[in-house]
Amino acid sequence: YFEGISTDNRFWIQDENEDMVYRLLTTGIVQIEKVGEVFISDAFKKLRITQAAKITVGIAVKGGLLDLQVDAGELSKEDLEGMLQSYRHRKKYHRLKNGDFMELEDNGLAVISELADGLNLKAKEISGGSIEIPKYRAFYLDQVLKNEGTQVHRDTSFKSMIRNMKDVEDSDYEVPVSLKKVMRKTGFRWLCTLDSMGFGGILADDMGLGKTLQIISFLLKKKGGPQKKTPSLIVCPASLV
């Protein structure tokens, strides 16, 4: 069942062999108890397997940026970094500095790992507690943080931003009168929504469905607004002209 050193009717497992010690704690003792009485020393009793605290994530809009807060409870920065590293190596546990083993299943590390990869964050940034992220990543964050294993707190401004992005068709942006009867409105409203949030954007659709016309309508709306008038350039095939 175990690989180790057997001498003088004794079986030795080096403490450095973490996988073996973990197996002994989780299933080995139970198996041995089926064939005999087990006596455990006080030192061995101190080795524990604990459940990791649920990781809590907070997201808010502050000063034109997204403020991402990661709270891992009483875990130190070093332990959180180590847990993330162990999770990426597909380990079932992480060995804490005090010698305890911490289970890594269903505690939000999957979400933290995905955020680190998707946002190109280093473990030290995540364990720092507070991370500033460009506002345009709001929709991505909202999707990732829907994982049931993570407790998420979204502030009112973040919720409002996501709601506006999802409810484009119900927005109050009015198409310029000259184009109202000849144009599909959803793309126009999508562009207006992005603009109101300070984003750039891409309008993608099949050929011939009116992307250029929707861009022109958006520019017409901007022209009639209070903003400073600046030139705009539309590049298109001669056939479209």
Side-chain angles (χ1 to χ4, degrees):
Y1 189 84
F2 293 105
E3 296 176 2
I5 305 169
S6 180
T7 58
D8 300 328
N9 295 322
R10 296 189 178 195
F11 190 81
W12 301 90
I13 298 175
Q14 299 293 333
D15 186 61
E16 291 79 8
N17 191 338
E18 293 181 350
D19 286 342
M20 201 70 67
V21 176
Y22 177 76
R23 288 174 60 191
L24 180 63
L25 286 168
T26 52
T27 59
I29 295 295
V30 175
Q31 295 294 324
I32 296 172
E33 286 177 332
K34 291 180 179 179
V35 296
E37 192 172 359
V38 177
F39 297 92
I40 299 175
S41 70
D42 291 337
F44 189 80
K45 287 179 182 178
K46 292 180 180 179
L47 294 177
R48 299 182 304 157
I49 295 181
T50 62
Q51 294 292 325
K54 290 284 185 181
I55 293 176
T56 302
V57 177
I59 182 73
V61 180
K62 291 184 179 179
L65 294 169
L66 297 178
D67 181 51
L68 187 69
Q69 300 278 342
V70 179
D71 183 3
E74 297 180 358
L75 284 176
S76 66
K77 294 181 180 180
E78 292 76 14
D79 280 331
L80 181 57
E81 288 181 40
M83 285 172 61
L84 187 57
Q85 194 70 18
S86 296
Y87 178 83
R88 284 174 166 168
H89 285 90
R90 301 183 182 277
K91 299 183 76 172
K92 294 182 178 180
Y93 65 87
H94 172 68
R95 189 82 181 266
L96 299 176
K97 282 189 173 183
N98 62 6
D100 289 349
F101 291 84
M102 183 166 283
E103 301 278 7
L104 296 182
E105 296 180 0
D106 301 325
N107 67 332
L109 280 175
V111 169
I112 300 303
S113 179
E114 185 171 348
L115 287 176
D117 294 338
L119 299 173
N120 196 28
L121 300 173
K122 297 179 180 179
K124 288 185 178 179
E125 293 179 275
I126 294 175
S127 61
S130 181
I131 312 161
E132 289 186 341
I133 298 171
K135 196 165 63 171
Y136 69 83
R137 301 310 300 265
F139 209 68
Y140 166 76
L141 280 172
D142 185 63
Q143 295 298 312
V144 173
L145 295 176
K146 286 181 178 178
N147 187 294
E148 294 181 359
T150 309
Q151 297 178 358
V152 182
H153 300 292
R154 299 169 173 83
D155 82 337
T156 303
S157 56
F158 182 80
K159 289 180 181 179
S160 177
M161 178 189 299
I162 297 299
R163 186 165 52 248
N164 289 338
M165 293 177 72
K166 289 181 177 179
D167 297 336
V168 171
E169 294 190 22
D170 294 329
S171 65
D172 296 327
Y173 298 111
E174 290 294 332
V175 176
V177 176
S178 58
L179 296 173
K180 208 164 190 176
K181 296 182 179 180
V182 297
M183 195 188 74
R184 304 170 74 203
K185 301 176 180 61
T186 303
F188 164 78
R189 288 171 175 164
W190 170 243
L191 292 170
C192 291
T193 300
L194 293 179
D195 181 60
S196 69
M197 296 178 179
F199 297 163
I202 296 173
L203 187 61
D205 209 339
D206 292 332
M207 291 180 63
L209 295 183
K211 294 186 295 296
T212 305
L213 191 59
Q214 291 177 75
I215 291 292
I216 291 173
S217 68
F218 171 70
L219 294 176
L220 279 174
K221 178 182 179 301
K222 294 284 286 184
K223 182 180 178 181
Q227 297 94 339
K228 181 181 178 181
K229 306 301 184 291
T230 55
S232 299
L233 176 66
I234 293 180
V235 180
C236 62
S239 58
L240 180 59
V241 176

